[in-house]
Amino acid sequence: MLNQNQTPLLDTLKACAERPHAPFYTPGHKRGQGISQSLVDVFGKTVFQADLPELTELDNLFAASGVIQQAQQLASEAFGSSQTWFLVNGSTCGIEAAILATCGTGDKIILPRNVHSSAIAGLVLSGAIPIFVNPEYDSVLDIAHSITPSNLEAALRQHPDAKAVFMVYPTYYGVCGDIRAIASLAHQYNMPLLVDEAHGAHFAFHPQLPIPALAAGADLTVQSIHKTLGALTQASMLHVQGDRIDRERISKALQLVQSTSPSYLLLASLDTARQQMAIYGKELMSRTLQLAEEARTRISQIPGLSVLDLTPNPSPQAASGVKSLGFIALDRTRLTVTVSGLGLTGFAAEEILDQQLGVTAEFASLQHLTFIISLGNTQQDIEQLVQAFTKLAMTSPPKSEAFLGIQEKSSHVLWDNLFMMGDAMCISPREAFFAATEILPIQETTERICAEIVCPYPPGIPVLMPGEIITHTALEYLRQIQSMGGFISGCADSSLSTLKVVKI
Ligand SMILES: Cc1ncc(COP(=O)(O)O)c(C=O)c1O
């Protein structure tokens, strides 16, 4: 057992920042001496004194043998891995490296269709061929959940030669699929399970939170420490356990996708976020869970509002009493409030909350608003959130027809048809990325090869990926999502007047 009270990286950085010397190295502001006064006015001077390069005492991120290695070992113990790498380019670079380290050009990887764009970047960089598995989809709430063991098993039987299985755990909504069963299936086929746990860095620190990916059997997991814990934006970690992952390849891949000038402010924030959680994690998470529970209870009592829970609203699954295997646990610190009962879209509610009521959500979708409740939130924040929703409901009283109205327009009818089409991948995402492309009016793109991601919200599942054939059904689906008030992300023209396609 290591002494988790230590912060070797922070301590050494502090000593270097305080040691008087004439600096003839990067960065050019020389420990804040040359920094613009307007920046000092906002941030103060101390932070710039610690903005140092890889001085001898500060170790080297890509050949760690000193204080970075010590800090990574402490993190490995605290998060339950065999080896941990600190990341300065977000989980984005960790996910890219995970794919690069397990798949070469032409290798297959099984992954959910609702992956984050960093996984698509990993496909482009590696040249891997995606075998997409559709996630479970709650058609009433219009939310995509996790892939299920049975969907994965079908893909594994069809593609036993794939090199890895990749899953998102939890989803942006805090929804967790059956990761134990998924890990065990991947291992039966001798494949490693790679996990995008960007939103689950806090799971290891409280028994009432969902099981962490590593404890459930994942071989590799990537966590945005900055998203739910106390690290600076971009500061993330990649953890590995067991022997299914080649650790040398991870180190090599991380060198490809990260800066050779890693920020020590970010690295030190990883060291201290780990210390904070190792020492106070359970207490901090108990308080966070308590705050989240209070917000859930009080908001769900406001007429016209409901809160995403493990037995979702009147969904077909819940009605028939069958638990969705794409939703077996919920991170209760993630709060998704359905506002469509007020006759408002999530987008409209977000604007009112943000601009008139002083509350800012993480993101909005057609029917919902999602809030991240973390160790940084206070009782006062929760009070403000509940008051804001109370006022919102008073100014937009529940409309019995409204919820049904939005639901009737829900995309699920179309959704069912969309992915009956089977495998539409024509060339690999990498080939599509490097191909000559052209931008065409959308009506002229049917049967052409798509050169960009086209992802509607809701439900946040890409309808088109680079390398896929554009079908009439896909375009019709996108048009209907737009007419419902949804928005399209991932592509250059979000109005969808035009689409980028591969030139013939
Ligand atoms: C599910 C998911 N995976 C990965 C990422 C990328 O994480 P980062 O912002 O740390 O690069 C995000 C970011 O929003 C995400 O939501």
Side-chain angles (χ1 to χ4, degrees), residues 178-195:
D178 192 351
I179 188 169
R180 282 181 208 265
I182 286 173
S184 144
L185 271 170
H187 296 163
Q188 279 169 36
Y189 282 79
N190 288 321
M191 291 177 210
L193 175 64
L194 319 176
V195 181

Side-chain angles (χ1 to χ4, degrees), residues 191-208:
M191 291 177 210
L193 175 64
L194 319 176
V195 181
D196 171 352
E197 203 178 10
H199 292 271
H202 52 305
F203 285 4
F205 302 98
H206 201 286
Q208 278 167 23

Side-chain angles (χ1 to χ4, degrees), residues 264-299:
Y264 274 88
L265 301 177
L266 300 190
L267 294 173
S269 80
L270 285 171
D271 197 23
T272 53
R274 180 274 314 153
Q275 182 226 29
Q276 182 186 33
M277 292 315 286
I279 306 294
Y280 307 109
K282 191 157 179 216
E283 185 185 324
L284 289 167
M285 286 300 106
S286 290
R287 202 181 129 272
T288 308
L289 280 160
Q290 220 176 331
L291 289 179
E293 221 46 63
E294 179 183 338
R296 277 177 179 279
T297 311
R298 291 175 65 189
I299 292 170

Side-chain angles (χ1 to χ4, degrees), residues 213-233:
L214 289 174
D219 300 276
L220 178 157
T221 186
V222 183
Q223 300 176 327
S224 296
I225 307 300
H226 67 95
K227 285 194 198 296
T228 56
L229 299 179
L232 294 182
T233 298

